[in-house]
Amino acid sequence: MGRKRRKNQIKFTFLVEDKGEAQRATGERVELPMAKCKTETSKQLPEKLMEEICERENLRRALKRVKKNKGSPGIDGMTVEELQGYLCENWLAIRKELMLGNYKTKPVKRVEIPKIGKGLRKLGIPCVLDRFVQQATLQVIQRYWDREFSENSYGFRPKRSAHQAIAKAQKYIEEGNRFVVDIDLEKFFDRVNHDKLMGLLAQRIKDNRVLKLIREFLNAGVMENGLVKPPSEEGTPQGGPLSPLLSNIVLDVLDCELERREHNFVRYADDCNIYVKSRRAGKRVMANLTKFITRKLKLKVNGQKSAVARPWKRKFLGFSFTQHVQPKRRLAHQSIERFKRKIRVITKRTKAKSIEDVIKELSNYLHGWLGYYRFCQTQSILHKMERWMRRRLRCYIWKGWKRGKTRFLELRKRGVGKALAAQTAGSACGVWRLSNSPALNIAFPNSYFEALKLPRLLVIT
């Protein structure tokens, strides 16, 4: 057993020059009382923080994580697969730069991806080496800082998830908080003030080498269309491992203020919902927090997307809630529309694909979708979506047959009576209407799609 473990371990030959290991942080996970949430009263991190970042086991975990995350190369073209070989040859020089506080980062590569709603989201892809150093830094800082974050913060934190945030919001509604103050921060990651962020970090981090390294990452600059733009005084580019933690450090100031005011709130990254008992109270909270966010955090609240409303009229992390006294989690309207758009693309008859290939592609998407959205408690919605999806597949098959004669023969092969097959094959009705006809339901019952291993949205227990 021991030999097998040693065989499966990754060889980290670039770490052999590490002299000793810094002491690890104590393993206790005792949460500080909420009254001590203020950053000014938080414990300082060890003075020799860089030694912990460069510690052997920490680097092992960082390399493993970067490899697991994969990702595209940065501006230097180095891939994740090439990183370990590069470190074997150059680690001593890199470590020296880190220990002396002289490490220099490369500009991040700007890429754009579609947003869940409309528009494009700008991401900054650091070089693989910079991602490795960021990951090693993240692991050490998070180990100390995470234990002092608010209990109501769920985004980008170990052992916390969006599902937990949604369940917490549901609990607040059950307790009679029937209005929500939904705060949306406009371009949050692009507007984080560097000086404000570095001030918060400096209150706890006394190792100037680490502060200088983080400042270096913030000022790395961006390469877009082959040109490097000068570093800005604000923004943490989305795409680097360190950015989520830095965003939580900034927004922890907001969490502390909400706790000081004894509000019922849930925050996941820059999505923050506060639950109150009346619209009047909600408007007062919205006005006060807008001033606080603008003056204290130097951020801007998006007036068009923020609102005081009923929880069932707003979405939170892809979900909404029913109006019952015991509210249930349901899919937000936007989540359903996004699901349908994706299914339409997969089942669009633009390529000559067999139904088996279409269902295979559909299954890959559904497995990921179900992993998140099966948290829904309203079974009727899932049932309707499942029926709609099967109708789309019947439409796909029907269009593929094209001619009336082919349609008649194919229906007869699948057990449809002669008269019904002739009537359906010669019908002038549209494809969508025919997809729910008796003939196509006989030819392609639910069991047909189950045999092709199409995942069920509705699981009956």
Side-chain angles (χ1 to χ4, degrees):
M1 187 68 178
R3 288 182 182 177
K4 189 175 181 181
R5 284 183 180 175
R6 285 194 294 272
K7 186 178 178 181
N8 291 334
Q9 282 178 347
I10 301 173
K11 294 181 180 179
F12 296 87
T13 55
F14 67 92
L15 297 172
V16 294
E17 292 298 322
D18 254 338
K19 296 182 179 180
E21 295 185 357
Q23 289 183 345
R24 297 185 184 180
T26 53
E28 67 269 12
R29 297 288 298 172
V30 180
E31 298 289 344
L32 293 184
M34 288 187 178
K36 295 183 180 180
C37 184
K38 295 180 181 178
T39 307
E40 289 79 358
T41 63
S42 299
K43 296 178 182 178
Q44 293 183 359
L45 276 63
E47 291 186 7
K48 294 186 177 181
L49 202 61
M50 185 60 77
E51 279 73 9
E52 292 199 29
I53 291 171
C54 295
E55 184 242 353
R56 185 178 305 169
E57 183 58 32
N58 185 57
L59 295 172
R60 253 198 206 100
R61 288 171 41 230
L63 181 58
K64 187 177 180 181
R65 172 59 64 179
V66 171
K67 283 187 170 185
K68 184 178 180 180
N69 290 343
K70 298 181 180 179
S72 304
I75 63 170
D76 61 354
M78 185 191 298
T79 63
V80 172
E81 291 74 20
E82 297 170 338
L83 176 60
Q84 187 169 339
Y86 180 84
L87 290 171
C88 289
E89 295 179 7
N90 301 280
W91 173 244
L92 292 179
I94 296 168
R95 186 178 188 278
K96 184 178 180 180
E97 290 177 352
L98 288 169
M99 298 302 289
L100 294 175
N102 296 328
Y103 182 84
K104 298 296 180 184
T105 63
K106 292 183 175 67
V108 299
K109 182 170 70 175
R110 175 73 77 202
V111 295
E112 294 180 340
I113 61 171
K115 280 187 176 181
I116 291 177
K118 295 181 180 180
L120 296 172
R121 186 184 302 279
K122 292 185 177 182
L123 297 182
I125 308 300
C127 296
V128 176
L129 177 60
D130 289 343
R131 292 212 295 268
F132 168 70
V133 176
Q134 282 195 41
Q135 181 64 37
T137 307
L138 164 70
Q139 290 170 179
V140 172
I141 297 178
Q142 190 171 55
R143 187 166 65 209
Y144 291 104
W145 216 304
D146 185 77
R147 69 186 69 173
E148 297 193 16
F149 283 144
S150 169
E151 278 291 323
N152 297 312
S153 168
Y154 291 89
F156 309 122
R157 296 183 61 189
K159 300 180 180 180
R160 285 175 173 257
S161 67
H163 287 171
Q164 292 174 335
I166 296 161
K168 187 69 172 286
Q170 184 180 11
K171 181 183 175 184
Y172 285 141
I173 300 169
E174 285 179 5
E175 292 172 353
N177 299 285
R178 311 294 280 186
F179 287 88
V180 60
V181 182
D182 188 353
I183 294 179
D184 183 88
L185 299 178
E186 186 174 315
K187 296 181 179 179
F188 168 70
F189 285 93
D190 297 330
R191 293 183 182 273
V192 173
N193 185 278
H194 289 181
D195 291 335
K196 178 69 180 177
L197 171 58
M198 292 307 300
L200 293 170
L201 290 168
Q203 288 176 7
R204 294 194 62 196
I205 298 176
K206 298 307 174 185
D207 191 331
N208 290 328
R209 297 168 297 178
V210 176
L211 292 174
K212 188 176 179 182
L213 178 65
I214 295 174
R215 174 71 81 168
E216 183 70 22
F217 283 125
L218 293 174
N219 294 336
V222 176
M223 176 176 280
E224 193 170 6
N225 299 323
L227 299 175
V228 178
K229 294 184 178 180
S232 173
E233 294 182 357
E234 59 182 18
T236 59
Q238 297 183 68
L242 198 55
S243 293
L245 175 63
L246 298 180
S247 68
N248 269 337
I249 290 172
V250 171
L251 291 175
D252 188 53
V253 177
L254 174 61
D255 295 343
C256 293
E257 180 65 15
L258 291 170
E259 287 181 351
R260 187 184 68 80
R261 299 182 185 188
E262 298 182 347
H263 286 310
N264 298 316
F265 74 97
V266 182
R267 184 178 66 79
Y268 190 95
D270 56 336
D271 289 331
C272 185
N273 281 4
I274 302 105
Y275 294 88
V276 295
K277 294 186 182 296
S278 68
R279 188 180 297 276
R280 182 178 178 183
K283 289 182 178 181
R284 184 175 65 251
V285 170
M286 174 69 82
N288 291 337
L289 287 180
T290 300
K291 292 178 183 178
F292 176 84
I293 290 169
T294 304
R295 294 175 183 175
K296 186 77 175 177
L297 300 180
K298 311 298 182 186
L299 297 170
K300 186 177 180 181
V301 174
N302 190 326
Q304 294 182 338
K305 294 184 178 180
S306 302
V308 178
R310 296 289 192 177
W312 44 88
K313 292 185 178 180
R314 304 294 294 179
K315 71 177 180 70
F316 182 53
L317 303 177
F319 287 85
S320 188
F321 303 94
T322 63
Q323 301 182 38
H324 302 104
V325 176
Q326 297 285 331
K328 292 184 177 181
R329 300 182 294 270
R330 65 179 178 84
L331 298 182
H333 174 73
Q334 296 90 330
S335 300
I336 297 172
E337 289 303 311
R338 191 162 60 249
F339 172 86
K340 288 186 174 182
R341 282 199 300 270
K342 182 65 176 180
I343 301 302
R344 287 190 185 103
V345 170
I346 295 174
T347 58
K348 189 175 183 180
R349 197 162 177 85
T350 55
K351 297 180 181 179
K353 282 187 176 182
S354 66
I355 187 64
E356 290 80 8
D357 289 338
V358 171
I359 289 181
K360 186 177 180 180
E361 184 180 352
L362 200 56
S363 297
N364 291 335
Y365 169 71
L366 290 176
H367 282 305
W369 189 90
L370 287 169
Y372 184 75
Y373 286 105
R374 194 167 268 168
F375 196 56
C376 168
Q377 292 177 314
T378 49
Q379 303 273 315
S380 58
I381 293 177
L382 295 176
H383 181 63
K384 289 178 182 178
M385 293 168 68
E386 194 172 66
R387 289 183 59 191
W388 178 87
M389 182 172 60
R390 284 195 293 261
R391 286 187 68 177
R392 285 288 307 179
L393 290 170
R394 292 185 184 109
C395 285
Y396 185 89
I397 297 169
W398 189 251
K399 287 178 183 178
W401 289 340
K402 295 182 181 179
R403 297 172 58 196
K405 185 177 180 180
T406 305
R407 290 172 173 174
F408 173 78
L409 293 174
E410 292 291 343
L411 288 175
R412 290 289 292 145
K413 282 181 189 177
R414 287 163 174 78
V416 181
K418 188 175 181 180
L420 183 58
Q423 180 186 356
T424 307
S427 175
C429 294
V431 178
W432 180 249
R433 184 171 177 180
L434 287 175
S435 66
N436 200 34
S437 66
L440 264 69
N441 276 285
I442 293 170
F444 303 104
N446 296 351
S447 58
Y448 171 82
F449 298 109
E450 289 176 7
L452 292 176
K453 298 182 179 179
L454 179 69
R456 295 290 304 270
L457 301 188
L458 181 62
V459 178
I460 301 174
T461 56

